[in-house]
Amino acid sequence: MALLDILRYPDPRLHKVAKPVTEFGTERLRKLVADMAETMYDAPGVGLAATQVDVHERVVTIDVTEAQEKLMVFINPDITWASEEKQVYDEGCLSVPGVYDGVERPARIKVSAFDVDGKPFEVEADGLLAVCIQHEMDHLMGKVFVEYLSPLKRNRIKAKLQKEERGMQRDAAQRAGRR
């Protein structure tokens, strides 16, 4: 297993639409899922979409348990039903570090997907799991949660993260120069 690099907003690769997985049970798919899970847990986060690690396939890993003991893998997920009732949940994102804001989404959903071997399954979700599934599925469609926010908030977040990125690059260059 290996830790994967997580793309940071506003990286344009986060806006690529993921393609469906067509080959199941392969060693490549198993390794991708294992690496995504390791990366998600290490970050630490509760969900990760393949898009966030620059793999543009419809693969999501999620674990909303405190003890990180119930990894869920959704391949080619599809929301088949969503409640009319909405909820606002403070969301964060591994691609938008340090930023949390309220996003309104359906309170309950049903999602159908496949496991790594291509076996279909369906899950009904509410609470954090419902939010997480919808959030990660947005990534597969090339959408980042900050796009639900006002243009003013989004631009402030973008500017803040770009400034942090420049600082990290400057620090890395200075460390490299000392060697």
Side-chain angles (χ1 to χ4, degrees):
M1 291 192 301
L3 290 178
L4 304 170
D5 290 330
I6 298 173
L7 300 177
R8 287 173 55 113
Y9 180 79
D11 191 308
R13 293 172 291 180
L14 288 168
H15 298 293
K16 280 186 165 181
V17 175
K19 295 190 178 346
V21 171
T22 56
E23 292 184 30
F24 295 90
T26 66
E27 190 54 41
R28 188 192 73 75
L29 184 59
R30 289 182 198 288
K31 180 173 178 7
L32 173 62
V33 167
D35 290 349
M36 284 177 60
E38 183 178 3
T39 302
M40 176 186 75
Y41 288 134
D42 183 71
V46 295
L48 187 67
T51 300
Q52 293 176 272
V53 294
D54 202 21
V55 176
H56 302 283
E57 296 177 39
R58 295 183 57 77
V59 178
V60 168
T61 57
I62 292 176
D63 188 341
V64 296
T65 63
E66 196 71 34
Q68 299 180 333
E69 63 192 7
K70 190 174 181 204
L71 178 66
M72 301 177 81
V73 177
F74 297 84
I75 299 176
N76 299 340
D78 182 40
I79 294 174
T80 58
W81 175 83
S83 67
E84 289 185 27
E85 176 192 353
K86 306 285 187 193
Q87 69 179 1
V88 175
Y89 209 94
D90 252 7
E91 295 186 27
C93 181
L94 296 176
S95 292
V96 192
V99 175
Y100 300 87
D101 212 319
V103 176
E104 183 179 71
R105 298 185 185 272
R108 294 180 321 282
I109 60 168
K110 279 186 191 174
V111 62
S112 63
F114 297 90
D115 69 13
V116 105
D117 294 312
K119 182 180 175 207
F121 67 93
E122 193 170 76
V123 171
E124 291 186 36
D126 60 8
L128 179 58
L129 180 57
V131 170
C132 193
I133 291 169
Q134 293 172 84
H135 176 109
E136 300 309 330
M137 286 182 67
D138 276 352
H139 278 299
L140 300 179
M141 297 307 298
K143 188 169 187 175
V144 181
F145 91 98
V146 296
E147 293 170 42
Y148 288 98
L149 308 179
S150 72
L152 177 63
K153 278 187 180 181
R154 193 168 49 248
N155 288 334
R156 283 184 179 163
I157 291 165
K158 188 177 193 178
K160 175 185 174 225
L161 292 176
Q162 286 173 326
K163 183 178 177 184
E164 285 176 10
E165 184 69 27
R166 285 191 300 272
M168 289 188 309
Q169 288 172 351
R170 186 177 53 250
D171 292 348
Q174 287 172 348
R175 282 193 304 276
R178 285 188 231 137
R179 290 185 190 157

